[in-house]
């Protein structure tokens, strides 16, 4: 006889690239940044520098659009050996500001899934990492806020973070379900705690969220091709 899977007491959704598209906006802005800085290097070089600056500063600034904006400015300074002018930096900042107010459109199936889980009486949470102000604004702009009993915005999604959330909400790992697009942030740490993780792939993936295949060996998680399949999995 198999032990029945306990009914979830908390179902958490990642936000960016799970509930709504995010990475395409960053990629689009990066393309424009590369074009603005084209006199100072080829696209691959500028892209690499931009990512290196972001990664180097992540422990200071965390994730999100404002860190990305600072990285654009620092990259421009580096690429020009400090010669970049205010006139050249202003369009970079203007591009970055677009990342803070683009319209948030739910991905296909999101409203259907949230509506059905709400009908079933499941307690739902948004669990996202990044800048507090920016992420709160995205939840508000999405119009999805009323579906969620809880919104948690954290600086990093690792095992310690998930453990803290479970403890705070008095939920055992086997009663927790995390749904998200990032193997690194939404799946691996959750599976390692013995909770259920559902991977909903989304393309493109930010390079920082990529996971080498060997890290996934033996990790137990569920993968759905479309978000609406979680309704069947969680029945
Ligand atoms: Mg995500």
């Amino acid at each position: 006889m198999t032990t029945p899977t306990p009914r979830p007491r908390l179902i958490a959704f990642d936000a960016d690239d799970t509930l709504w598209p995010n990475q395409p906006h960053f990629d689009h802005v990066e393309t424009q940044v590369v074009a603005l800085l084209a006199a100072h290097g080829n696209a691959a070089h500028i892209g690499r520098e931009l990512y290196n600056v972001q990664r180097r500063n992540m422990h200071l600034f965390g994730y999100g659009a404002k860190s990305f904006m600072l990285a654009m400015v620092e990259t421009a300074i580096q690429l020009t050996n400090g010669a970049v002018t205010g006139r050249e930096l202003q369009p970079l900042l203007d591009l970055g500001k677009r990342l803070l107010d683009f319209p948030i459109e739910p991905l296909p199936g999101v409203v259907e899934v949230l509506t059905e889980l709400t009908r079933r009486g499941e307690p739902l949470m948004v669990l996202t990492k990044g800048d507090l102000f920016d992420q709160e604004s995205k939840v508000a702009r999405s119009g999805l806020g009323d579906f969620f009993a809880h919104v948690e915005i954290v600086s990093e999604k690792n095992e310690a973070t998930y453990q803290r959330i479970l403890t705070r909400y008095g939920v055992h790992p086997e009663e927790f379900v995390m749904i998200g697009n990032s193997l690194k942030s939404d799946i691996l740490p959750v599976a390692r705690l013995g909770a259920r993780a559902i991977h909903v792939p989304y393309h493109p993936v930010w390079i920082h969220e990529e996971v080498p295949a060997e890290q996934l060996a033996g990790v137990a998680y569920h993968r759905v091709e479309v978000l609406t399949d979680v309704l069947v999995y969680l029945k």
Side-chain angles (χ1 to χ4, degrees):
M1 211 179 87
T2 54
T3 319
T5 312
R7 191 185 155 80
R9 286 191 50 216
L10 188 58
I11 301 175
F13 285 82
D14 168 54
D16 292 337
D17 299 323
T18 297
L19 296 177
W20 52 72
N22 184 71
Q23 189 60 36
H25 296 281
F26 277 73
D27 287 350
H28 181 63
V29 164
E30 183 169 326
T31 303
Q32 291 172 283
V33 169
V34 164
L36 284 169
L37 295 174
H40 309 291
N42 65 38
H45 177 64
I46 296 172
R48 206 164 43 241
E49 284 302 301
L50 187 58
Y51 178 60
N52 286 339
V53 172
Q54 283 179 85
R55 204 176 44 178
R56 200 166 59 232
N57 291 339
M58 199 155 283
H59 71 289
L60 296 170
F61 303 141
Y63 298 93
K66 288 179 219 165
S67 328
F68 188 74
M69 288 169 76
L70 286 168
M72 294 191 308
V73 171
E74 192 169 329
T75 302
I77 292 169
Q78 282 182 11
L79 288 171
T80 61
N81 286 319
V84 68
T85 64
R87 217 178 283 280
E88 291 170 292
L89 288 178
Q90 189 60 53
L92 296 180
L93 293 171
D94 292 341
L95 277 173
K97 285 180 196 168
R98 285 197 218 158
L99 291 175
L100 293 162
D101 69 357
F102 62 85
I104 301 288
E105 302 282 353
L107 281 164
V110 165
V111 172
E112 182 185 342
V113 166
L114 297 178
T115 302
E116 173 58 15
L117 292 176
T118 300
R119 193 195 62 77
R120 292 183 196 173
E122 306 285 9
L124 306 181
M125 170 188 281
V126 178
L127 178 43
T128 176
K129 71 179 181 200
D131 178 74
L132 179 64
F133 186 85
D134 187 16
Q135 296 306 85
E136 276 179 342
S137 164
K138 283 189 207 165
V139 174
R141 269 141 62 209
S142 75
L144 300 173
D146 286 348
F147 284 111
F148 297 99
H150 314 287
V151 177
E152 289 283 348
I153 298 163
V154 297
S155 52
E156 189 63 90
K157 281 155 94 175
N158 52 27
E159 279 178 69
T161 304
Y162 285 105
Q163 186 57 67
R164 223 169 26 244
I165 300 269
L166 293 182
T167 304
R168 190 182 314 148
Y169 286 84
V171 173
H172 293 290
E174 60 273 20
E175 300 167 326
F176 178 69
V177 178
M178 180 71 202
I179 301 167
N181 73 298
S182 168
L183 288 166
K184 181 180 178 180
S185 300
D186 304 318
I187 305 302
L188 267 178
V190 173
R192 284 182 183 138
L193 286 176
R196 273 180 285 170
I198 306 178
H199 184 220
V200 193
Y202 183 81
H203 299 285
V205 174
W206 183 32
I207 180 171
H208 189 75
E209 296 294 318
E210 284 171 359
V211 171
E214 61 267 24
Q215 274 192 37
L216 289 168
V219 176
Y221 66 95
H222 189 72
R223 174 189 164 114
V224 295
E225 291 311 317
V226 291
L227 187 67
T228 44
D229 285 352
V230 306
L231 293 175
V232 179
Y233 177 73
L234 291 173
K235 236 180 181 125

